[in-house]
Amino acid sequence: MNGVISVGMADFKTARSPDILLTAGLGSCIGICIHDPHLKVGGMAHIMLPSASGSLGGNPAKYADTALVLLLKEITSMGAVSSRLRAKMAGGAQMFAFPGKPPVLKIGERNAEAVEQELKKNGIPLLIADIGGSFGRTIHFDVGTGELRIRTINHGEKVI
Amino acid sequence: MEITQFQLDALREIGNIGSGHAATALSTLLQRRIEMSVPRVWAVPFEQVSVIVGQLDTPQATIYVKVEGEAPGKAVFFFPIESAEIVVQALFGMDEPLDLYTNEMAQSALKEVGNILVSSFLISLSQFSGIPLQPSVPALAVDMIGASLDAIFLEEGLLDDTVLFIDTQLSGIPKIKGQFIFLPDDGSLKKLLGAIGV
């Protein structure tokens, strides 16, 4: 029986196969999913903002840069090997549009760019991403197979 | 900032007055009896937001209004889809519900409902505190409640670890449910509390 481990906003969790990691209702936030396909362990972070620098600080799992550091530390402490790690991500939507006003700052896009940069910095290949749009996503990540299942209300369901 | 029990009580009172007006406005608009719960005031970390709003991937019609003025903040009203359909149907006097995901007439009606609710909340809050507050143009998302809320939290980069909610549930007879949330911006809470003398 697979366990489903739920990841909240500004939160991160790790798991071993056959457990599944879940985060529900991603809007502008990003779900970063990383796993070691050989050891079948992995983790998921639900980040809200691009960078901890220049911010008020607080919970490090809230920011793309600091959350990734935490996540990688925990995955490698479970025995995963850095050079085998693979990443996928989803989220970064623009949920609201104010008529007549351009979006002040497209936080979803900025989040996605930040995650991409941080992954590159850590030498982890980003295999695929499902980013943008104006709809919410619920994601399930199988740390064994690396399958990322993305469910939406009105934009279908897919596995990447 | 640290919030004392006394201040929490004051915030609950603010919520009470504001959402009482909002419930009356909705009641007038729909010509139905609308009941209001005693407001709850919560300061919660992000990870626990679902304690207040329920399952984060439940579809809801969420209306978001920025509050401008001397104590800015964010006001959010959300309905479960079925309730939103009933509200729209009642407004237009229709036999069949409209599709909220695609029908623009239904969507603008929902924005207007949100606008009326938030405006009446703000008017009473302004009168009570003496601080002028104005609603901005309403925006609507019909989608997972968690997705809508995270976008609202992040607009203009919310940085604190906790979210302060003044949360009132409105329920009508029959079958209308809705939840109202007011999120004061960082400095605004202090200003509002100062204005009412706590």
Side-chain angles (χ1 to χ4, degrees):
Chain A
M1 178 79 189
N2 298 0
V4 176
I5 299 168
S6 182
V7 182
M9 274 183 212
D11 187 16
F12 75 100
K13 295 274 167 58
T14 53
R16 280 179 198 282
S17 183
D19 287 350
I20 304 279
L21 291 161
L22 152 80
T23 199
L26 279 169
S28 311
C29 295
I30 305 254
I32 313 175
C33 306
I34 293 177
H35 84 137
D36 176 338
H38 180 75
L39 198 67
K40 299 188 191 306
V41 301
M44 183 190 284
H46 180 151
I47 63 106
M48 305 187 77
L49 289 166
S51 172
S53 67
S55 74
L56 289 182
N59 177 5
K62 195 161 59 176
Y63 308 100
D65 51 355
T66 43
L68 193 64
V69 172
L70 288 174
L71 186 59
L72 291 178
K73 199 171 160 195
E74 195 161 316
I75 296 174
T76 46
S77 79
M78 293 166 83
V81 177
S82 297
S83 61
R84 286 200 302 247
L85 296 178
R86 299 285 178 269
K88 294 182 180 180
M89 68 171 169
Q94 177 84 22
M95 299 299 296
F96 291 92
F98 285 93
K101 282 190 194 173
V104 187
L105 94 193
K106 291 190 174 171
I107 192 71
E109 282 176 21
R110 286 179 46 215
N111 277 336
E113 279 166 22
V115 172
E116 224 167 302
Q117 256 175 33
E118 292 303 319
L119 286 169
K120 196 175 271 177
K121 205 187 283 176
N122 286 277
I124 301 167
L126 177 65
L127 300 185
I128 194 164
D130 183 48
I131 296 293
S134 58
F135 50 87
R137 294 168 171 88
T138 287
I139 61 172
H140 288 83
F141 183 53
D142 183 325
V143 296
T145 63
E147 273 183 0
L148 182 60
R149 179 174 298 275
I150 301 162
R151 204 168 55 74
T152 68
I153 302 284
N154 241 3
H155 294 82
E157 180 171 330
K158 61 178 159 185
V159 178
I160 62 172
Chain B
M1 66 182 277
E2 286 289 309
I3 303 169
T4 64
Q5 187 56 45
F6 190 53
Q7 289 172 327
L8 279 180
D9 289 342
L11 286 170
R12 196 170 297 128
E13 191 50 31
I14 289 177
N16 215 349
I17 296 168
S19 33
H21 279 72
T24 309
L26 187 61
S27 181
T28 311
L29 188 69
L30 298 178
Q31 296 292 306
R32 291 194 191 203
R33 193 169 138 211
I34 302 291
E35 292 180 347
M36 183 192 79
S37 72
V38 175
R40 299 175 299 171
V41 181
W42 302 79
V44 290
F46 289 117
E47 310 91 273
Q48 288 167 28
V49 163
S50 63
V51 173
I52 300 173
V53 303
Q55 289 281 9
L56 293 178
D57 53 359
T58 307
Q60 306 238 21
T62 304
I63 300 133
Y64 164 43
V65 178
K66 265 188 257 184
V67 178
E68 288 152 0
E70 284 170 36
K74 296 162 180 177
V76 187
F77 188 80
F78 51 96
F79 299 86
I81 299 294
E82 313 76 60
S83 292
E85 282 176 351
I86 292 170
V87 167
V88 171
Q89 217 176 328
L91 275 174
F92 290 125
M94 286 177 153
D95 298 330
E96 294 289 316
L98 296 170
D99 184 350
L100 305 182
Y101 293 102
T102 55
N103 189 295
E104 285 181 18
M105 194 168 73
Q107 292 175 350
S108 63
L110 281 174
K111 281 188 209 168
E112 200 41 45
V113 169
N115 199 20
I116 290 165
L117 286 169
V118 171
S119 300
S120 44
F121 178 87
L122 292 181
I123 287 166
S124 66
L125 185 54
S126 286
Q127 284 171 348
F128 188 61
S129 64
I131 294 177
L133 299 166
Q134 298 92 34
S136 71
V137 184
L140 171 76
V142 185
D143 211 310
M144 301 172 179
I145 182 63
S148 304
L149 281 181
D150 86 36
I152 292 168
F153 294 156
L154 292 179
E155 222 220 341
E156 286 157 36
L158 185 117
L159 297 164
D160 213 348
D161 276 345
T162 46
V163 194
L164 180 87
F165 288 93
I166 301 176
D167 167 23
T168 308
Q169 313 237 5
L170 300 176
S171 56
I173 299 169
K175 287 196 258 173
I176 297 176
K177 271 198 297 189
Q179 212 167 349
F180 184 83
I181 292 177
F182 178 61
L183 299 150
D185 287 356
D186 220 11
S188 300
L189 187 56
K190 212 172 166 185
K191 219 171 245 175
L192 282 171
L193 290 172
I196 59 174
V198 287

